[in-house]
Amino acid sequence: MKEAWKGWAKKNRARKMERYVVSIEDVLKAARRLQKKEEKLYVMANAEAVAEKINNLELGQQRKIQVFKKGKLREIYMASVESKILQYILIEKIKFRRYKYSFASRRGYSYVQAMKLLAKEIQNRYTLFTDIKDFFPSVTQTILLKEIPPKFRHFIKAILRSFDGNGIPLGNPISGILAEIYLRDFDKKLQFIARHYNFTYIRYMDDIAVICNSYEKSIFMLRKIRSYLLKISLGINESKTRIEYSQAFDYLGYRILRSVQIRRINRDSFLSMCLRKGIEYSRGFYQYSKHSQDNVNLLIEKMI
């Protein structure tokens, strides 16, 4: 009986260690998600060679670009075509439990869903806002790799080796999924506490909002967040941490008024609204970017 159990255990371990092999069908399916036409045509014409490079872990080195965002210099990494294809394949293949109120840059779990939930829950309650400090570069890769299914682990190691920075490469297609996997246990603990005390816990990437019934409970949740982040070698951004009980909230580039959500609007809608209301505007007044809508939001507040 003991020998039979040892044989079964050995066979089961071998099965778990089997590596996933990327097929030509996987490559062609992932190629549809490429945004650049020349990259898509290249992959379609050389699908077999691309699949062979991926399986041999020949992903090339990622190109680093420095950009300014909110007055801060950030490093964005541009992956090779083979790396992009592999990452799109892994996004579809890696399955993990996603918690209800955790959101990322992924269909069905975007900032739009996060904002709808927050706008619904904030009425007459205290809201704790905080941010994980330098999240992507601060991720510990050894902790992350333990959470990856064994058959995909060699691929993730190759992606992490292909850039010269720390943590998770910012700007890669799979970056959001790796962040979700890394914070999965953190989300589990906080959502358990939130359910117990009838709070609402919301996280979009590294931006966290917790809706509580009192100021004291908000402080309690802030302590828990600090404690749980410390266990995975992360911390909060103190300058972005605040507790509010007011008529309006700013979160993810939105202005929320109690139960009313003020959305970003496109240029034509903005200009037509100004014309209907008889409001003068200048070319420099309208700032169209993902997270800079303060002037537009202030104007809309006066309109409603």
Side-chain angles (χ1 to χ4, degrees):
M1 187 70 178
K2 189 175 180 180
E3 294 297 325
W5 182 86
K6 285 184 177 180
W8 176 86
K10 186 177 180 181
K11 185 178 179 181
N12 194 46
R13 283 197 299 270
R15 189 184 297 114
K16 286 184 177 180
M17 291 303 293
E18 287 178 1
R19 292 185 171 188
Y20 184 82
V21 178
V22 171
S23 66
I24 297 175
E25 290 75 18
D26 290 333
V27 171
L28 293 173
K29 185 178 179 181
R32 300 172 192 166
R33 301 187 62 176
L34 291 172
Q35 296 179 354
K36 293 183 179 179
K37 186 177 180 181
E38 57 271 21
E39 291 182 346
K40 189 178 293 187
L41 291 174
Y42 165 77
V43 173
M44 291 290 189
N46 302 278
E48 186 175 354
V50 170
E52 185 177 353
K53 279 188 175 182
I54 291 172
N55 287 320
N56 291 331
L57 305 181
E58 298 173 8
L59 303 181
Q61 197 68 14
Q62 297 197 28
R63 186 162 52 95
K64 181 169 65 176
I65 299 175
Q66 292 184 328
V67 297
F68 276 97
K69 185 177 180 182
K70 299 179 182 179
K72 186 178 179 181
L73 189 65
R74 296 195 177 188
E75 294 180 346
I76 306 295
Y77 291 89
M78 308 297 291
S80 65
V81 179
E82 290 80 11
S83 183
K84 287 179 185 176
I85 290 295
L86 172 60
Q87 291 181 45
Y88 285 131
I89 293 170
L90 294 177
I91 288 171
E92 296 298 324
K93 297 293 182 181
I94 295 179
K95 305 297 181 183
F96 64 96
R97 182 179 177 183
R98 184 184 297 275
Y99 292 96
K100 185 178 179 181
Y101 297 143
S102 301
F103 301 90
S105 300
R106 192 178 184 185
R107 186 179 301 172
Y109 298 93
S110 69
Y111 65 89
V112 176
Q113 281 73 30
M115 295 307 305
K116 285 181 178 179
L117 178 62
L118 185 59
K120 179 182 176 182
E121 297 286 343
I122 63 172
Q123 299 183 61
N124 302 319
R125 301 173 79 183
Y126 288 85
T127 306
L128 163 65
F129 296 100
T130 191
D131 177 86
I132 302 175
K133 186 177 181 180
D134 297 328
F135 173 48
F136 284 89
S138 301
V139 167
T140 304
Q141 293 182 357
T142 52
I143 297 176
L144 172 63
L145 289 170
K146 289 178 182 178
E147 300 296 324
I148 303 295
K151 64 179 179 179
F152 300 117
R153 199 170 290 162
H154 63 296
F155 285 139
I156 300 300
K157 283 182 180 178
I159 293 170
L160 296 177
R161 283 197 302 264
S162 68
F163 83 109
D164 58 2
N166 298 317
I168 298 173
L170 192 61
N172 278 211
I174 203 171
S175 297
I177 302 300
L178 296 181
E180 291 294 291
I181 293 173
Y182 191 78
L183 292 175
R184 184 170 51 176
D185 191 53
F186 171 78
D187 289 334
K188 180 182 178 181
K189 292 175 180 176
L190 284 180
Q191 290 197 16
F192 176 81
I193 296 173
R195 283 196 302 268
H196 181 74
Y197 288 101
N198 195 27
F199 300 160
T200 300
Y201 164 76
I202 301 169
R203 181 182 60 78
Y204 176 76
M205 303 297 279
D206 56 352
D207 291 292
I208 298 170
V210 185
I211 304 165
C212 304
N213 299 322
S214 67
Y215 182 83
E216 291 74 17
K217 293 298 183 184
S218 300
I219 295 294
F220 166 75
M221 286 300 291
L222 179 59
R223 289 171 181 161
K224 288 294 183 183
I225 290 171
R226 282 200 184 104
S227 173
Y228 293 151
L229 284 177
L230 190 61
K231 291 179 180 179
I232 51 175
S233 305
L234 295 174
I236 66 170
N237 192 333
E238 298 291 348
S239 63
K240 294 183 179 180
T241 301
R242 65 192 192 276
I243 299 172
E244 294 188 6
Y245 185 91
S246 61
Q247 294 298 322
F249 298 93
D250 292 314
Y251 186 63
L252 299 179
Y254 282 77
R255 173 64 56 87
I256 306 171
L257 303 176
R258 288 302 177 186
S259 60
V260 180
Q261 181 180 353
I262 303 302
R263 286 195 169 196
R264 294 194 295 268
I265 57 175
N266 60 39
R267 183 176 182 277
D268 294 335
S269 299
F270 173 73
L271 297 183
S272 63
M273 187 181 294
C274 288
L275 292 173
R276 287 199 310 272
K277 298 288 182 178
I279 297 175
E280 295 182 0
Y281 58 88
S282 63
R283 288 187 178 182
F285 185 84
Y286 180 80
Q287 302 176 10
Y288 186 69
S289 66
K290 188 171 182 182
H291 291 291
S292 59
Q293 292 288 295
D294 293 340
N295 290 335
V296 177
N297 288 337
L298 289 172
L299 178 61
I300 296 173
E301 286 183 38
K302 296 177 182 178
M303 292 179 179
I304 59 175

